[in-house]
Amino acid sequence: MMPLAEAQARLLANVPPPPATERCPLNAALNMVLAETVTSTVTVPPSDNSAVDGYAVRYADLGRVLPVSQRIPAGAVPAPLVPGSAARIFTGAAVPAEADTVLMQEECEALDGQVRLPAASSVKTSPVKKGANIRRAGQDIRAGDEVVSAGTRLSPRHLGLLASVGVAEVSVYRPLRVALLSTGDELAEPGTAAAPGQIYNSNRYLLHALLAEAGMIPVDLGRVADDYAATHGALASAGQRCDLVLTTGGVSVGEEDHMRAAVAALGSLDLWRVAIKPGKPFAFGHLGDTPFMGLPGNPSAVLVTFMILVLPWLRRAQGLAGDPMPPCVGLPAGFSTDKPGKREEYLRVQVVGEAGQQRLQPHPNQSSGMLSSACWAEGLAVVPAGRVVREGDVLGFIRF
């Protein structure tokens, strides 16, 4: 078996260049990967503006009764403040020239065409300071600033920020198309009656959702019979249509496992059997020029190998900048093990206990065939190969 770290390194060393770029409107760019860094052509906010509803004044006039010389709603262009007067102003409105402070309306007393301003020290909450309640021009972004860097997966926050500087569309990498193939005559589809000896095909739906969540385009090619010719034909077709071919089942050593032989006939099998638990019969190769990854058939092994081996490759191949590996933090174990394992193990765990006293608690059944434990769990605890765990030992934790 290949050590996991070596397998991960080999996978990331075999990532093709990012896909072609395309222009995309903001409202369709969620989860896309930005291909070009965006810099701002505008300043945000463009001018000093009021953070509250109230009165724009000169700080030197606090404690006086002043006439109200103008009313400034958001979006209006104010005239300079008349000396010895106050301007009624609303949240987001531009602060007029000559005003240097905004008072909240609750701190002032509105009179007939006038306003009584409090003294700086008489405000109940805290003394008023010069410049209070003014959001300065450019406090968020200045013209020429980098707004979002290339290689960023665009979240709703990024889209809002890009809109705030007037960007209507961006250059993004085309989402990767990933072919999904399930193997096994024992698989039945949800919504149909399972025959004796059959199980429902959960991997098909699990992987489709994982790929969509990661911003990829799943291309579901259905189930392939446990037959060499059918497997060979399905792989050949998938390799011509997609950026990656992803299969489940058929990569072990049984007489009905035809995937390895078919991949080798169509291209090359570069990696098989990784020291990971669950998920040992993971395969990587090429169908001509198209990368291929073969996942085990057991559902929890599919989940783990996707998170640890497939997803980092997909992130790098999609053009995502930064570390493609899932974030991992250290937390104490709330359990012990009897003997060291030969493979790096990923346990389905919950985080239990109060803040500062948290522990990783594993599900009592770590069978690779069950998904209910993954729904119970909050993530995966990483137990390195060759290590015995004692309660309180710090382990890596990867949150789902």
Side-chain angles (χ1 to χ4, degrees):
M1 292 182 292
M2 181 177 292
L4 178 59
E6 182 180 342
Q8 290 170 323
R10 186 176 294 191
L11 285 172
L12 293 178
N14 280 276
V15 173
T21 62
E22 58 190 26
R23 299 297 294 180
C24 182
L26 279 191
N27 60 6
L30 182 63
N31 285 330
M32 299 283 194
V33 176
L34 192 65
E36 296 176 357
T37 295
V38 176
T39 57
S40 179
T41 60
V42 299
T43 293
V44 182
S47 60
D48 292 354
N49 70 88
S50 178
V52 298
D53 292 343
Y55 295 88
V57 300
R58 292 188 306 166
Y59 186 77
D61 287 333
L62 264 62
R64 299 176 56 191
V65 175
L66 300 178
V68 177
S69 57
Q70 60 178 309
R71 183 178 183 275
I72 313 172
V77 178
L81 184 67
V82 174
S85 74
R88 182 74 167 107
I89 195 167
F90 297 89
T91 303
V95 175
E98 308 302 331
D100 58 19
T101 302
V102 173
L103 296 171
M104 296 176 64
Q105 61 186 16
E106 296 88 345
E107 298 167 349
C108 304
E109 181 185 356
L111 305 171
D112 185 15
Q114 296 180 309
V115 61
R116 187 188 306 278
L117 307 180
S121 59
S122 66
V123 176
K124 294 179 180 180
T125 53
S126 61
V128 177
K129 296 181 179 179
K130 188 175 182 178
N133 300 315
I134 295 178
R135 296 184 290 214
R136 298 297 180 185
Q139 72 171 26
D140 190 2
I141 298 167
R142 294 189 176 276
D145 284 353
E146 181 178 302
V147 181
V148 184
S149 58
T152 299
R153 185 175 298 285
L154 296 172
S155 70
R157 301 182 303 280
H158 294 116
L159 299 182
L161 180 61
L162 290 165
S164 77
V165 298
V167 172
E169 63 176 23
V170 288
S171 176
V172 298
Y173 293 114
R174 171 186 59 78
L176 294 174
R177 292 170 54 85
V178 182
L180 287 179
L181 281 168
S182 304
T183 68
D185 291 340
E186 76 280 10
L187 298 177
E189 289 304 313
T192 67
Q198 286 192 313
I199 59 173
Y200 286 113
N201 186 358
S202 59
N203 290 335
R204 180 179 186 179
Y205 299 87
L206 172 64
L207 284 173
H208 193 286
L210 287 168
L211 288 167
E213 184 179 60
M216 314 299 164
I217 298 177
V219 180
D220 192 341
L221 301 181
R223 183 180 65 84
V224 181
D226 286 329
D227 173 81
Y228 176 80
T231 302
H232 185 282
L235 288 175
S237 175
Q240 295 173 0
R241 298 174 56 182
C242 296
D243 302 294
L244 171 69
V245 176
L246 192 61
T247 67
T248 57
V251 291
S252 193
V253 292
E255 292 180 4
E256 299 299 321
D257 295 327
H258 304 290
M259 193 64 66
R260 292 176 59 218
V263 172
L266 289 165
S268 63
L269 189 64
D270 306 320
L271 183 157
W272 177 60
R273 300 185 74 202
V274 177
I276 184 175
K277 182 179 180 180
K280 177 177 68 175
F282 173 87
F284 174 72
H286 288 82
L287 307 170
D289 294 328
T290 303
F292 159 85
M293 293 189 193
L295 277 58
N298 284 318
S300 281
V302 168
L303 176 63
V304 170
T305 51
F306 183 88
M307 289 177 62
I308 306 305
L309 293 165
V310 180
L311 187 56
W313 187 95
L314 285 170
R315 286 171 170 161
R316 184 66 59 80
Q318 186 64 73
L320 198 66
D323 186 356
M325 302 306 296
C328 186
V329 299
L331 285 176
F335 63 96
S336 300
T337 58
D338 296 330
K339 58 183 180 180
K342 296 181 180 179
R343 294 176 280 165
E344 185 159 297
E345 188 167 5
Y346 289 78
L347 303 174
R348 283 144 275 169
V349 297
Q350 285 186 354
V351 179
V352 299
E354 301 296 327
Q357 298 181 328
Q358 293 179 325
R359 294 287 187 271
L360 297 173
Q361 184 65 44
H363 192 278
N365 191 331
Q366 294 290 326
S367 167
S368 62
M370 57 187 294
L371 270 179
S372 59
S373 57
C375 294
W376 169 91
E378 296 174 62
L380 303 172
V382 185
V383 180
R387 179 171 172 182
V388 173
V389 178
R390 302 302 181 202
E391 188 165 348
D393 288 352
V394 175
L395 300 177
F397 172 65
I398 301 170
R399 190 175 293 277
F400 288 143

